[in-house]
Amino acid sequence: MSATAIPVASFGNNPKVAQAIRETLLPEYDVVHTTLTLSTSLAELPSLCNGTFNQTPSSNLGSNASASSPADLKVPKAVIFGGGVSPSDAEQVKEAVLKKNSEIKFVRLTREDMVAAGAEGPDPEVIGRLLKARLVEVLA
């Protein structure tokens, strides 16, 4: 991971896809925390986005999960939502996070976005490319 990578968090449903996407986002973006369910997203992401590190990712995915000291933990600048996350779940997480930190940005890809980009399923390369483009836009 690059020292200059921009930290982001993710909420998706598939841990294998989440890990593969994390790798495609490097070195520009570092997925520091991944959640896999609505309940864990609501429990973990708002405090994390506010800089409160009171728990490691329940998914055990993300660079914060393997941080060797509290000084190595990073606060995300954005939260990305996987294509399998429903609009209502994404909105609930967004509202909860914004109550704690109004500066956080959000990126949600839909399955339609992925199909339009040429993916026939959860293709980490296509997803990574789309996320990088969207992250550039929202974090500019």
Side-chain angles (χ1 to χ4, degrees):
M1 157 189 51
S2 167
T4 60
I6 297 169
V8 299
S10 72
F11 169 22
N13 298 344
N14 184 319
K16 289 181 182 177
V17 172
Q19 181 60 25
I21 291 167
R22 178 177 183 254
E23 292 168 12
T24 67
L25 291 176
L26 290 169
E28 296 93 338
Y29 301 96
D30 174 20
V31 179
V32 299
H33 194 106
T34 296
T35 58
L36 301 171
T37 67
L38 175 60
S39 62
T40 58
S41 296
L42 291 171
E44 298 173 15
L45 294 178
S47 60
L48 171 70
C49 291
N50 194 37
T52 304
F53 301 105
N54 55 7
Q55 59 194 36
T56 58
S58 58
S59 66
N60 207 31
L61 297 172
S63 62
N64 281 354
S66 60
S68 57
S69 74
D72 295 329
L73 296 171
K74 296 178 186 78
V75 176
K77 304 283 186 206
V79 175
I80 57 178
F81 297 103
V85 175
S86 74
S88 64
D89 285 0
E91 190 59 32
Q92 286 182 63
V93 172
K94 182 177 177 180
E95 288 176 11
V97 168
L98 288 173
K99 285 180 184 175
K100 296 285 187 174
N101 183 341
S102 63
E103 301 297 314
I104 297 291
K105 306 299 182 192
F106 300 89
V107 173
R108 181 173 179 271
L109 293 180
T110 65
R111 289 191 170 128
E112 293 79 10
D113 293 331
M114 291 175 247
V115 169
E120 294 183 17
D123 182 329
E125 292 300 321
V126 172
I127 296 167
R129 186 177 73 243
L130 292 172
L131 285 172
K132 284 181 181 183
R134 296 263 180 94
L135 285 164
V136 166
E137 291 172 11
V138 302
L139 294 172

